[in-house]
């Protein structure tokens, strides 16, 4: 689909690379971004940039973290005799494992 703007077409192409996002949804997202205040879009793009550049994996458990050791592993109240095994990072978010370490 040829769009009236090459920049819009590029944005749609990039958004459509995300899982579960087809070209029609990518077009709706791109048009929504165009309607938003420029400061909102800058905050959005900055959050995505920081996500990619600053998020790291915990040196102890490979959980996603903003620091070299995640909050779970750094918690002094953590019972290190308990291990919670999950398939991927989504399992950490969805599991009750985190509840044990608050």
């Amino acid at each position: 689909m040829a769009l009236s703007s090459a920049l819009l077409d590029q944005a749609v192409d990039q958004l459509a690379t995300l899982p579960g996002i087809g070209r029609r949804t990518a077009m709706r997202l791109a048009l929504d971004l165009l309607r938003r205040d420029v400061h909102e879009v800058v905050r959005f793009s900055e959050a995505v940039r920081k996500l990619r550049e600053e998020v790291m994996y915990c040196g102890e458990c490979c959980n996603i973290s903003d620091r070299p050791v995640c909050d779970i592993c750094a918690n002094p109240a953590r019972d290190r005799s308990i291990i919670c095994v999950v398939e991927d990072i989504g399992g950490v978010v969805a599991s009750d494992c985190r509840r044990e370490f608050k």
Side-chain angles (χ1 to χ4, degrees):
M1 137 174 76
L3 300 175
S4 59
S5 166
L7 296 175
L8 177 59
D9 194 39
Q10 288 173 10
V12 169
D13 286 344
Q14 290 306 305
L15 289 166
T17 66
L18 295 170
I21 305 293
R23 282 197 58 85
R24 286 176 54 176
T25 299
M27 173 63 82
R28 284 193 291 273
L29 293 170
L31 292 174
D32 181 74
L33 289 170
L34 282 174
R35 285 189 282 272
R36 290 177 182 239
D37 180 75
V38 69
H39 299 293
E40 276 186 83
V41 178
V42 168
R43 280 193 306 273
F44 178 85
S45 63
E46 183 65 11
V48 172
R49 183 196 63 76
K50 288 178 93 171
L51 170 75
R52 185 61 188 101
E53 292 178 2
E54 298 179 20
V55 169
M56 60 190 77
Y57 293 98
C58 173
E60 291 186 32
C61 71
C62 298
N63 187 17
I64 290 177
S65 179
D66 297 340
R67 295 182 302 275
V69 177
C70 74
D71 290 343
I72 295 171
C73 292
N75 188 334
R78 175 181 172 209
D79 180 352
R80 293 189 176 270
S81 68
I82 297 174
I83 298 174
C84 183
V85 179
V86 294
E87 182 176 354
D88 58 28
I89 218 65
V92 175
V93 175
S95 74
D96 286 338
C97 296
R98 291 187 54 85
R99 186 176 61 184
E100 296 293 325
F101 309 112
K102 288 184 180 178

